Amino acid sequence: MKDIRICTIGLGYVGLPLAVEFAKKLPVVGFDVKRARIDELNAGHDDTLEVDDDNLQSVLVTEPGNWDRRRGLYLTDQLEEIKDCNYYIVTVPTPIDKYKRPDLTPLIKASGTVGKVLSKGDIVIYESTVYPGATEEDCVPILEKESGLKYNEDFFVGFSPERINPGDKEHTFLTIKKVTSGSTPEVADKVDALYNMVVQNGTHKASSLKVAEAAKVIENAQRDLNIAFVNELAKIFNIMGIDTLEVLEAAGSKWNFLPFRPGLVGGHCIGVDPYYLTHKAQEIGYHPEVILAGRRINDSMGRYVAGEVVKLMIKNGHTIADSKVLVLGITFKENCPDIRNSRVIDVIRELEEFGCAVDVYDPWADPDEVQKEYGVSLLTNHESRKYDAVVLAVAHRQFAEMDLKKLTNGHGILYDVKGIAPEADGRL
């Protein structure tokens, strides 16, 4: 493991924490195509809030000529400056398109970038979520084409799926157990040893790239199905007039009951990864039923929430057309600025379809990103207005500390998606 020079491709929620921790022990180049991201990080701040400023600044090296070859993090968007690395770790996003199909565009482009600088003996490690087989079927041919080198003779590949949970300061890159794999037994050992240099809870070395790829997609498909189950329970119990959270608390007194809660399922993993598995299953001739059923239930929850809000408003005597509704939160989860694949937008759009005038307030989200991604203008001051309905969509700590009823117009309703407001008129 001597003379290791790492390059991380992509400096987002996954790539940056990884680059920072490796840079404490090894020389690391962080590469990203977004110049604005490079400039932001070189200024010593991470807008995703995954790496705190002191931690980032402790490893940064801004002058390549002064780079200590034993350790440190140099950031760049220039291809020439990553040529002398010998481990390339790809951490770009793998989203889905509007038809719920895997979109490998970022991964394909990243593979092309790495292929242009690949040398004999180099190892390319993918962390991006894919369906089983994608690394060898989709990425390796591009590496071969761009480099002119032969797979498993001149260069090698590993797969070590990311397990970053945005906003989670307990289960971090350092503290989780890391799944590793390699394209040959020898490379698998090298990849495993590399990650064991930094992670604190060890690794699980999978027998093949495909096993590691499959493990990643089922981790989140399992969570998706469990949440879909409690979401369906919430719908049933609502019709029966039973409080879902009270039922879950009672059932949770059994030692092996799993503590899942109903809610909106978004983000870059749980709401996306199952489609990678179902896509591959359909490609090989198998039509998955349970996984897609769970996806249909979870994808329908935004419209369901909006419908429940409107029902409560009608019962309270509100005219729905032109009624004023405040949605609290648009990030995909609490205490995190990540807005990727947020299903709160489904609630907003459905309320607008009913004719409501919807305002959105989120102290964690970046207003420019929200405008660009969803076409929604965030409020900067929500306290001067009164609403016919308030929807608590995300459990940010700021919202838990607020008197939410004061935001209504006296007889307005409060609907709690997250189950944290005892004074709510209705909840999921």
Side-chain angles (χ1 to χ4, degrees), residues 1-14:
M1 299 296 289
K2 294 181 179 180
D3 196 28
I4 297 173
R5 302 179 302 279
I6 295 174
C7 173
T8 58
I9 307 294
L11 292 170
Y13 284 86
V14 176

Side-chain angles (χ1 to χ4, degrees), residues 349-366:
R349 295 290 182 245
E350 189 72 5
L351 288 170
E352 290 174 338
E353 284 291 314
F354 277 109
C356 302
V358 182
D359 286 339
V360 183
Y361 174 69
D362 193 318
W364 284 81
D366 181 280

Side-chain angles (χ1 to χ4, degrees), residues 144-172:
E144 287 186 316
K145 179 183 177 181
E146 293 293 339
S147 67
L149 302 175
K150 186 71 174 174
Y151 173 51
N152 274 347
E153 291 182 14
D154 301 319
F155 73 92
F156 306 88
V157 167
F159 188 82
S160 180
E162 59 92 1
R163 281 176 168 169
I164 293 294
N165 185 24
D168 187 342
K169 300 306 179 184
E170 179 182 356
H171 304 97
T172 66

Side-chain angles (χ1 to χ4, degrees), residues 253-265:
S253 64
K254 190 182 180 195
W255 64 91
N256 60 354
F257 187 82
L258 301 177
F260 286 90
R261 292 245 179 146
L264 303 172
V265 183

Side-chain angles (χ1 to χ4, degrees), residues 175-223:
T175 61
I176 53 96
K177 177 168 279 193
K178 202 80 168 69
V179 173
T180 66
S181 64
S183 55
T184 69
E186 294 76 19
V187 169
D189 288 341
K190 287 184 177 182
V191 172
D192 196 63
L194 180 71
Y195 281 100
N196 269 304
M197 292 179 69
V198 289
V199 296
Q200 297 171 356
N201 285 330
T203 58
H204 176 96
K205 186 168 63 174
S207 62
S208 68
L209 300 176
K210 284 185 177 180
V211 168
E213 291 166 329
K216 170 58 177 175
V217 288
I218 72 162
E219 288 172 14
N220 287 317
Q222 181 187 67
R223 286 183 56 78

Side-chain angles (χ1 to χ4, degrees), residues 376-390:
V376 171
S377 298
L378 293 183
L379 287 180
T380 55
N381 180 15
H382 63 285
E383 296 177 349
S384 61
R385 312 183 188 189
K386 298 297 181 182
Y387 294 91
D388 301 305
V390 174

Side-chain angles (χ1 to χ4, degrees), residues 9-10 31-34 89-97 101-114 126 128-130 138-139 142-143 276 340:
I9 307 294
F31 179 87
D32 200 292
V33 295
K34 297 178 181 176
I89 305 179
V90 179
T91 65
V92 296
T94 43
I96 52 176
D97 64 19
R101 298 177 306 196
D103 180 4
L104 295 181
T105 303
L107 195 63
I108 297 303
K109 288 182 178 179
S111 297
T113 296
V114 174
Y126 288 91
S128 306
T129 301
V130 292
D138 299 288
C139 301
I142 296 170
L143 295 173
Y276 274 75
R340 290 175 296 172

Side-chain angles (χ1 to χ4, degrees), residues 15-78:
L16 182 65
L18 180 148
V20 167
E21 295 307 328
F22 271 119
K24 293 174 182 178
K25 297 188 177 182
L26 298 165
V28 179
V29 181
F31 179 87
D32 200 292
V33 295
K34 297 178 181 176
R35 186 67 226 179
R37 178 65 169 163
I38 298 294
D39 292 341
E40 168 206 321
L41 295 175
N42 271 330
H45 178 68
D46 169 29
D47 275 350
T48 71
L49 306 182
E50 288 302 301
V51 177
D52 65 50
D53 292 355
D54 289 342
N55 199 16
L56 173 61
Q57 293 164 18
S58 70
V59 297
L60 275 182
V61 180
T62 56
E63 294 293 333
N66 298 328
W67 187 21
D68 183 343
R69 298 300 299 180
R70 290 170 295 182
R71 69 175 192 88
L73 174 60
Y74 175 67
L75 305 174
T76 185
D77 61 350
Q78 300 299 308

